[in-house]
Amino acid sequence: DAMVIQNPRYQVTQFGKPVTLSCSQTLNHNVMYWYQQKSSQAPKLLFHYYDKDFNNEADTPDNFQSRRPNTSFCFLDIRSPGLGDAAMYLCATSGRTGGVDTQYFGPGTRLTVL
Amino acid sequence: GQNIDQPTEMTATEGAIVQINCTYQTSGFNGLFWYQQHAGEAPTFLSYNVLDGLEEKGRFSSFLSRSKGYSYLLLKELQMKDSASYLCAVRDQEQGGKLIFGQGTELSVKP
């Protein structure tokens, strides 16, 4: 039973060509996050939503945008991908499940920029 | 500043016990998480500590000392499939708090 779903799992795009990654959740959690993770590095938070309130990290480039049309869905838009944006993009949710506040990650989307 | 420290890599033998340490200095604290991440996959939740003490869950246990800014993850009866990266993360506030991740500890389990 997938709880945090990301599509696609693998995305190939060309340098400068806009790309959108999607995330959906069945947990009804009110917080959703987008992380960027490069090889052998810790996940780096890009931004998060608390309900509809958008919170951008100070060092997230303007090239990265996000939309959350409803509780279940969240999108990551990369307006002009550069070679340095090739990474795994992880979506996560946060909420109280089984009495414990936890963060759950989706399977990730691996982005390749040619 | 925010700082999470854990060893970069560790090696252990199948069937043995290994302890992965994590120290943290953060502006706020509302829980410490341990995640397991296999290469090319998303992190998987292992444990959560918000109060001092030991939390046991099967072969995995996690300990927290808030006064010392210290946690460890204990893995018993190591199996080859436990070879993975183990990420320590601190949540910095109560609601909607983001996780601050350490660099991860790459654990290699050898026969």
Side-chain angles (χ1 to χ4, degrees), chain A residues 31 33 35 37 40-43 45 48 50 57 88 90 94 100-108 110, chain B residues 30 33 35 37 39-45 48 87 91 94-104:
Chain A
V31 190
Y33 306 82
Y35 291 88
Q37 188 178 27
S40 301
Q41 296 183 20
L45 183 65
H48 75 276
Y50 189 92
E57 291 301 296
M88 174 81 91
L90 298 165
S94 177
V100 178
D101 283 318
T102 53
Q103 227 181 71
Y104 290 96
F105 284 85
R110 182 164 294 284
Chain B
N30 191 45
F33 294 77
Y35 285 88
Q37 188 176 28
E41 298 181 11
T44 304
F45 171 74
Y48 168 70
L87 299 165
R91 183 163 58 197
E94 188 164 339
Q95 291 185 345
K98 62 186 182 185
L99 290 184
I100 304 160
F101 280 90
Q103 290 294 317

Side-chain angles (χ1 to χ4, degrees), chain B residues 26-110:
Chain B
T26 55
S27 55
F29 179 86
N30 191 45
L32 186 142
F33 294 77
W34 283 97
Y35 285 88
Q36 180 192 61
Q37 188 176 28
H38 286 101
E41 298 181 11
T44 304
F45 171 74
L46 289 178
S47 69
Y48 168 70
N49 295 70
V50 67
L51 300 175
D52 290 351
L54 188 69
E55 293 281 341
E56 296 186 79
K57 193 185 289 186
R59 294 190 298 117
F60 292 29
S61 303
S62 57
F63 172 83
L64 175 67
S65 169
R66 289 172 297 170
S67 62
K68 295 180 180 177
Y70 168 69
S71 173
Y72 67 72
L73 178 70
L74 194 72
L75 293 78
K76 303 175 189 174
E77 301 169 18
L78 280 172
Q79 302 174 10
M80 300 298 290
K81 68 177 182 180
D82 296 330
S83 294
S85 183
Y86 290 85
L87 299 165
C88 172
V90 171
R91 183 163 58 197
D92 71 348
Q93 66 188 56
E94 188 164 339
Q95 291 185 345
K98 62 186 182 185
L99 290 184
I100 304 160
F101 280 90
Q103 290 294 317
T105 298
E106 190 68 38
L107 175 66
S108 297
V109 180
K110 302 197 180 302

Side-chain angles (χ1 to χ4, degrees), chain A residues 34-84:
Chain A
W34 279 104
Y35 291 88
Q36 178 194 65
Q37 188 178 27
K38 297 187 177 180
S39 182
S40 301
Q41 296 183 20
K44 177 181 180 299
L45 183 65
L46 296 173
F47 24 59
H48 75 276
Y49 279 92
Y50 189 92
D51 291 326
K52 292 191 175 182
D53 292 333
F54 177 72
N55 299 273
N56 196 37
E57 291 301 296
D59 57 354
T60 298
D62 292 340
N63 197 26
F64 292 86
Q65 303 285 319
S66 185
R67 296 169 283 136
R68 189 179 186 187
N70 54 53
T71 301
S72 300
F73 285 87
C74 196
F75 299 97
L76 170 62
D77 300 308
I78 309 176
R79 293 193 294 188
S80 182
L83 298 178

